[in-house]
């Protein structure tokens, strides 16, 4: 793990969890890394990540702060917040299967609501951040 960053397998693991949940699927039109033009609202985007070393006792580790974005055109924040609540249920303190890495913990860090000021001004945006700790496989 010293030479490879966990961002790609971690993103794949989060994508698998989010797309594998029927309840979330009923709330959104999709989970994206890249959002194709014309995608219908609401949807979730797996966004930016910040990775830092978190080595411990002879084992390489990383802390990755992953940002998720919920986009909605619902009047008010109710829809985005309901979607965010489901995402939190799926990720916060839940196990992840990450190819090539041991998952240590996933912790919810923050959420922020925003309204897109550009016309037509009817887009709601919920940002959520999760801190995901991974380590070099022990087995």
């Amino acid at each position: 793990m010293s030479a490879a960053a966990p961002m790609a397998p971690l993103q794949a693991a989060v994508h698998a969890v989010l797309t594998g949940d029927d309840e979330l699927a009923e709330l959104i039109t999709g989970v994206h890394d890249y959002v194709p033009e014309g995608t219908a609202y609401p949807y979730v985007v797996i966004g930016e990540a910040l990775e830092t070393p978190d080595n411990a006792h002879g084992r390489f580790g990383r802390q990755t702060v992953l940002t998720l974005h919920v986009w909605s055109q619902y009047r008010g924040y109710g829809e985005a917040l309901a979607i965010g609540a489901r995402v939190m249920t799926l990720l916060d303190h839940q196990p992840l299967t990450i190819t090539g890495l041991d998952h240590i913990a996933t912790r919810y860090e923050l959420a922020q609501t925003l309204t897109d000021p550009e016309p037509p001004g009817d887009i709601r945006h919920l940002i959520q951040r999760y801190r995901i700790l991974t380590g070099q496989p022990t087995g």
Side-chain angles (χ1 to χ4, degrees):
M1 185 165 131
S2 62
M7 283 189 198
L10 192 146
Q11 181 182 27
V14 169
H15 186 269
V17 167
L18 298 181
T19 57
D21 184 67
D22 291 338
E23 191 173 326
L24 182 61
E26 290 181 18
L27 298 174
I28 61 174
T29 62
V31 176
H32 306 280
D33 175 22
Y34 166 78
V35 182
E37 193 165 327
T39 298
Y41 292 92
Y43 55 84
V44 174
V45 175
I46 299 174
E48 303 77 17
L50 173 67
E51 180 184 286
T52 56
D54 191 25
N55 303 324
H57 305 294
R59 171 165 127 149
F60 291 104
R62 298 284 188 271
Q63 288 193 32
T64 305
V65 177
L66 182 65
T67 303
L68 301 177
H69 302 270
V70 176
W71 295 93
S72 169
Q73 282 188 312
Y74 185 81
R75 295 184 79 141
Y77 287 104
E79 183 176 67
L81 293 172
I83 294 165
R86 184 64 191 156
V87 169
M88 187 183 306
T89 297
L90 294 171
L91 295 178
D92 189 32
H93 287 84
Q94 298 300 315
L96 283 174
T97 302
I98 306 170
T99 302
L101 298 169
D102 285 345
H103 174 256
I104 298 166
T106 298
R107 298 185 193 117
Y108 166 76
E109 270 200 355
L110 68 83
Q112 179 181 5
T113 55
L114 299 169
T115 301
D116 188 342
E118 296 298 317
D122 64 347
I123 298 174
R124 301 292 189 251
H125 182 189
L126 172 66
I127 300 167
Q128 289 185 323
R129 288 198 185 120
Y130 294 86
R131 183 172 300 270
I132 304 169
L133 285 68
T134 55
Q136 184 179 26
T138 57

